[in-house]
Amino acid sequence: TTWFEVWGDYWRQYLGPAGRVGQRIERQAATGCGFHIAHSSLTAGRLRALCPDATVRMIPSGIDVSRPDPVPPRDPRRLAWCGRAIESKNLPLLLSALALWGDRDWSLDVVGDGPCLDAWKQAAARLGLGDRVHWHGFIQQRAELHRLLATAGILVQTSRREGMGKSALEAAALGCALVLLEHPEVATTGFLEDGRSALFFGGDSGSEKPQGLARLLAKLLGDSAEQRRLAQGGQAVAAELAWDRVVERVLVHYAQVAGA
């Protein structure tokens, strides 16, 4: 089996009492199989705890981006955010941080749709962010999404739960500097190194303060050289997630399964 996430007790938080059924099925699926692929180190660790006698390999999903041709100019004062509009994706943290900046020159592209979108738009209006935030909804054409990311300077991930965080890693492949919330339920930071291929904020406790995020982004915003340095580190990470590299690892795993 291939696992994007292992939820454990989160099933009950997500579904209420009915989540016990999901949690039971998840456990049975894990313990009933002798070979597993996990898409992140976080998920691999949870699988090993569930089924210590099984073979668990961490093999991430591949990163596949369509690079715009010609590549449009990048704007170091443009920020991007991608994710489903649900509470755990935590966009209001970024909006609150940007509201502390006053008249600083910036813009934010928000990509994604979901049940929280209208409330987030209202929050942006209350904070006085006005037309600096551009709401794109769900972008169906991946080439269009990748063109948008290729022109942004910084991709901010505020999510409190990510099985891998592919949108952030795709943005890295396209040359965005990454700023990520470090949280126990976020697997994205396990692929990257703070200060080299991304900047982390929040810490292991998951503490989140708009003031800290605002200060971090203020240093990075408009600093093209620092953005390029982080982007180069992120692109090196993304290169290791190219599909040809990933498939080689999958074939090794399947050969062991077949041999068993």
Side-chain angles (χ1 to χ4, degrees):
T1 56
T2 299
W3 297 77
F4 197 73
E5 293 183 72
V6 172
W7 276 13
D9 292 339
Y10 180 66
W11 277 105
R12 283 176 281 176
Q13 180 182 336
Y14 186 72
L15 291 176
R20 295 179 183 274
V21 178
Q23 188 174 4
R24 189 178 303 121
I25 292 171
E26 179 178 76
R27 178 178 291 276
Q28 290 175 346
T31 57
C33 181
F35 295 88
H36 301 282
I37 291 174
H39 278 335
S40 69
S41 297
L42 177 63
T43 298
R46 291 177 174 175
L47 276 173
R48 293 184 181 114
L50 275 177
C51 42
D53 295 330
T55 296
V56 178
R57 275 197 174 88
M58 198 291 278
I59 305 177
S61 177
I63 297 299
D64 182 21
V65 298
S66 51
R67 299 183 182 279
D69 185 24
V71 178
R74 188 177 301 279
D75 184 349
R77 296 192 174 276
R78 279 188 55 221
L79 300 100
W81 183 98
C82 297
R84 181 154 164 72
I86 55 178
E87 186 178 357
S88 64
K89 299 300 183 179
N90 201 20
L91 175 64
L93 173 63
L94 175 58
L95 298 177
S96 297
L98 297 176
L100 299 173
W101 278 357
D103 294 332
R104 186 183 292 270
D105 182 18
W106 60 273
S107 66
L108 170 65
D109 292 293
V110 176
V111 178
D113 200 356
C116 291
L117 188 62
D118 287 342
W120 290 353
K121 289 181 178 180
Q122 293 169 15
R126 286 195 303 271
L127 291 168
L129 301 181
D131 56 4
R132 293 191 182 206
V133 181
H134 308 290
W135 306 90
H136 297 271
F138 178 72
I139 297 178
Q140 299 222 9
Q141 299 297 322
R142 290 178 63 79
E144 181 183 349
L145 170 62
H146 293 158
R147 176 170 289 275
L148 184 151
L149 294 175
T151 60
I154 305 168
L155 186 286
V156 185
Q157 180 181 286
T158 53
S159 177
R160 300 188 189 102
R161 176 172 289 276
E162 288 290 342
M164 182 175 171
K166 285 192 72 173
S167 61
L169 295 167
E170 288 178 354
L174 290 162
C176 276
L178 301 183
V179 174
L180 310 176
L181 175 64
E182 188 176 17
H183 190 282
E185 298 296 330
V186 172
T188 321
T189 49
F191 294 93
L192 301 151
E193 184 178 351
D194 187 19
R196 292 181 63 87
S197 49
L199 295 180
F200 300 168
F201 69 99
D204 292 338
S205 66
S207 60
E208 306 153 24
K209 295 184 178 179
Q211 294 83 355
L213 177 57
R215 286 193 295 271
L216 185 153
L217 288 174
K219 292 180 180 178
L220 190 57
L221 191 77
D223 187 342
S224 300
E226 179 64 2
Q227 288 183 24
R228 283 195 300 271
R229 186 186 70 80
L230 290 170
Q232 288 170 356
Q235 285 179 308
V237 170
E240 293 299 315
L241 302 176
W243 272 113
D244 56 349
R245 306 272 181 96
V246 170
V247 167
E248 289 177 3
R249 297 167 64 181
V250 173
L251 290 175
V252 168
H253 178 80
Y254 285 171
Q256 182 181 0
V257 174

